[in-house]
Amino acid sequence: MIATIGAGLHVSGVSAGFTRLLGHAPIQARGRRLDELLRGPDTDEPSLQALCAAIASGQEWQTVLLIHTAHGAARWMAVSASALRGDGGAAPHSVVVLDEVTHVGDHAALQHLVLDAMAQGAPLHDAARLLCREMEQAVPGCTAVLLARDAQGRLRIVAAPSLPPALESLVDGHAGGARCGCCTAATTGQAVRAADIASDPRWDAVGGAFVAHGLQACHAYPVASREGAVLGVFALYCPETLDTDGWHGQLANAGLRLCTLLLEREHERARIHQLAYYDGLTGLANRSMLNAQAARMLHEAQRSGAALALVFIDLDHFKQVNDTHGHLAGDALLRAVAARLQDSARASDLAARLGGDEFVLLLTRCDARQAALAAERLLNAFSRPVSLPQATLQPRASMGIALFPDDGADADTLLHCADLAMYQAKTAGGQCWRFHNAAMNDQARRLSLLEADLRQALAAGGLALHYQPQMQGGGLHGVEALLRWQHPTLGAIAPERLTRTADECGLRAELTRWVVGEACRQMADWRARGVAVPRVSVNLQGADLHEPELMQWLTQPLGAHGLQTADLAVEIAEDVLCSSDPVVLNSAHALRRHGIALALDSFGTGCCNLGTLHLLPVDELKLDGGFVRDIETSATARALIRAMLHIAHGLGLPLVAEGVETRAQQQFLRAHGCALAQGHLLSPPLSAPALERLLREAGTAAPQVSVPKTT
């Protein structure tokens, strides 16, 4: 391609090749300044000015310059300028020869830069970003993207330095498919070329967004390993399609080869890391990873003051499995146990295999009670049958638990202590766990046994509700449902211990649902048989009010038993409802909206801000029994009761006095306007049949019934 240049850098003529490649017809080019013809938005301005200065002064000049065609396309050109001198030595004209760059070192330079970064140990993202930047400089207006497949087979962005943020989510995270743009290359294993994204069906879902950012065309190439597996996708988005048969194609191929090297190196790194730090059979962390991670986790625990537990696990009679069923069966059993161990671990915990049939679980922020519960759950998980082609195996395990900092301050000491405790479990017959500390063993064992018994009681109907009447004058106002558990060997379990055990064992929600369901079932039975119980109230804990499904817990059994919401009331302690917790308040207002009455329990214990009491969605107050107990002996108690009765009357709320046990207490309360009472003087909590007998005997005119006291 040739152009002749006259005075003032004006073009005097161009060759046919110049017109064919750059799009400037002779009539259009003549008379225009050379720099105007060649300049574009990405042109290196100092290099262009140096060329023009050389031509103006009649000097020889050579350079490589990015120029733009009449249609705006960018082209790298090797430009040389020579003077055409006349007879007198003057140089009134110059000739400029332009050759499209096909390989003036760009490929070699690109390869050198990326390989040098790899040799220096640059992370994948940094080396890939360098590659994309160099590609974008070589092909102005181009946006380079490298995607790699993750463990789930989805394509994730490794580098896309110039991709607008609005487009990142359109290419990141795809699993491939026929209509997912450049990601289609990963699905088909073939290069994808789209000259017009807007009309290409493979970009149906995302094409408009790319076009809006000026990216009209795309060239995407699958990045494949030597074995043929697709590792990712290398894509070039451009304002217009590239000449893939010429220099652009050569450059893209060079970039693709480098992408393959980068992703293969990363896979090799991951494989080496897997071999070095993970067990080949089970995929769990190995001893090296355990040592490294344990040091970090112990440092964090020491810094934060948090507890940490190490559970040492050894399978019982594993050698017998290998001897009887073969090593393939033994390996399958180890993999099944490892999977259950990993499923039991939290994200912050570490599950590892030491070798053979020995495993370790390192539990962060875990005290003795939590470690015992974790070990019990692991035993249950491990004991599920494992079905193999050869046989169905019933795994058993012995576990030892060591605690940081009580049993040791470093990983080796904790591992040794947990190993000793594991042998204690073996000596005890296996399929159990032991603490390194004997005192903790006893306490944790009792808790574990109680948890197992409570689960059994919930599943087999071992729990019961007793009902204590709330009397108003001569009539029944309602009954309060109170939980009872008659343990087969320990006898009656105190309600406080029962609820505490349920909370510690993760059974609180299940227990609450059982109480509500049983109370509704009993109310429906009373309704069906004409027993005149106006309503039943149940107690909720603070944690219950944080449950997203609380209203479903309450309304579902009401509907299932054909009851109205007025048939059920809930009692919430004053310190819970007045805690200013927005979740608690929202739940309380939801009760009001559903028509379920809310009683403020333990009223007067001093936690409630009386200035905001009138804002709470409360339907009833329950005077704490401690005040009632001191009526006969404390003038202060009597004064406080009068004040609280005055507050209740002022708010227009009924007040139920709890714990009424003597006639003197009852007479004082009645004299000061408290008509509602609950306590042993009237009736202790009774089973449903006993309550029915009481109501039949008392009729409607005898609210005071003498019955034996019970706990």
Side-chain angles (χ1 to χ4, degrees), residues 168-230:
E168 289 183 3
S169 62
L170 301 181
V171 297
D172 187 56
H174 281 282
R179 295 178 179 271
C180 58
C182 68
C183 303
T184 306
T187 304
T188 63
Q190 301 294 324
V192 173
R193 295 181 178 88
D196 182 14
I197 288 176
S199 61
D200 194 310
R202 293 168 295 189
W203 269 264
D204 276 352
V206 298
F210 281 89
V211 172
H213 284 82
L215 301 176
Q216 305 280 352
C218 179
H219 299 261
Y221 307 88
V223 182
S225 68
R226 288 184 294 271
E227 293 77 21
V230 176

Side-chain angles (χ1 to χ4, degrees), residues 54 86 122 195 248 282 302 358 364 440 467 581 613 626:
H248 288 146
T282 65
Q302 187 173 30
E358 294 180 340
T364 60
M440 287 183 182
Y467 302 89
D581 185 333
L613 180 61

Side-chain angles (χ1 to χ4, degrees), residues 9-302:
L9 294 176
H10 290 93
V11 175
S12 58
V14 295
S15 68
F18 188 101
T19 300
R20 184 175 60 256
L21 185 61
L22 299 186
H24 298 290
I27 193 171
Q28 296 171 328
R30 289 191 196 101
R32 296 183 61 185
R33 284 176 57 93
L34 178 65
D35 53 348
E36 293 176 359
L37 271 180
L38 303 184
R39 182 182 286 114
D42 300 303
T43 300
D44 182 359
E45 192 64 31
S47 296
L48 179 60
Q49 293 303 322
L51 171 66
C52 293
I55 294 173
S57 61
Q59 299 178 16
E60 302 280 335
W61 196 261
Q62 290 185 345
T63 187
V64 176
L65 189 65
L66 181 69
I67 68 174
H68 290 72
T69 69
H71 306 295
R75 295 281 189 272
W76 283 103
M77 295 286 179
V79 184
S80 60
S82 301
L84 295 176
R85 300 183 183 277
D87 295 337
H93 296 280
S94 294
V95 63
V96 175
V97 180
L98 298 94
D99 287 315
E100 185 173 12
V101 174
T102 55
H103 47 83
V104 289
D106 295 81
H107 304 167
L110 176 65
Q111 181 170 300
H112 174 77
L113 284 171
V114 176
L115 292 179
D116 184 63
M118 294 174 66
Q120 297 297 325
L124 171 65
H125 290 274
D126 291 348
R129 188 177 179 86
L130 172 64
L131 168 61
C132 290
R133 284 292 191 199
E134 290 298 317
M135 289 293 299
E136 289 168 352
Q137 287 186 18
V139 186
C142 158
T143 296
V145 177
L146 176 59
L147 305 169
R149 271 189 166 153
D150 63 13
Q152 289 72 44
R154 295 188 173 274
L155 292 166
R156 299 292 181 183
I157 292 178
V158 177
S162 299
L163 190 69
L167 301 182
E168 289 183 3
S169 62
L170 301 181
V171 297
D172 187 56
H174 281 282
R179 295 178 179 271
C180 58
C182 68
C183 303
T184 306
T187 304
T188 63
Q190 301 294 324
V192 173
R193 295 181 178 88
D196 182 14
I197 288 176
S199 61
D200 194 310
R202 293 168 295 189
W203 269 264
D204 276 352
V206 298
F210 281 89
V211 172
H213 284 82
L215 301 176
Q216 305 280 352
C218 179
H219 299 261
Y221 307 88
V223 182
S225 68
R226 288 184 294 271
E227 293 77 21
V230 176
L231 306 177
V233 171
F234 178 52
L236 300 173
Y237 284 93
C238 312
E240 62 178 20
T241 187
L242 300 177
D243 177 16
T244 54
D245 294 328
W247 173 68
H248 288 146
Q250 296 175 26
L251 188 63
N253 287 331
L256 180 60
R257 288 192 296 273
L258 292 170
C259 288
T260 303
L261 287 175
L262 287 173
L263 294 189
E264 283 190 328
R265 182 190 68 158
E266 193 64 20
H267 274 251
E268 196 66 21
R269 279 180 171 177
R271 191 177 71 85
I272 293 171
H273 185 268
Q274 184 75 21
L275 292 173
Y277 292 104
Y278 291 90
D279 176 55
L281 177 65
T282 65
L284 296 180
N286 62 15
R287 188 183 291 270
S288 296
M289 175 64 87
L290 175 64
N291 291 336
Q293 291 294 88
R296 178 188 62 79
M297 294 164 74
L298 286 167
H299 175 74
E300 287 294 321
Q302 187 173 30

Side-chain angles (χ1 to χ4, degrees), residues 513-538:
R513 291 196 295 270
W514 182 87
V515 169
V516 175
E518 175 60 17
C520 290
R521 185 203 64 77
Q522 185 59 64
M523 273 296 292
D525 178 63
W526 283 331
R527 287 277 189 272
R529 294 187 292 109
V531 180
V533 175
R535 73 175 193 187
V536 61
S537 61
V538 296

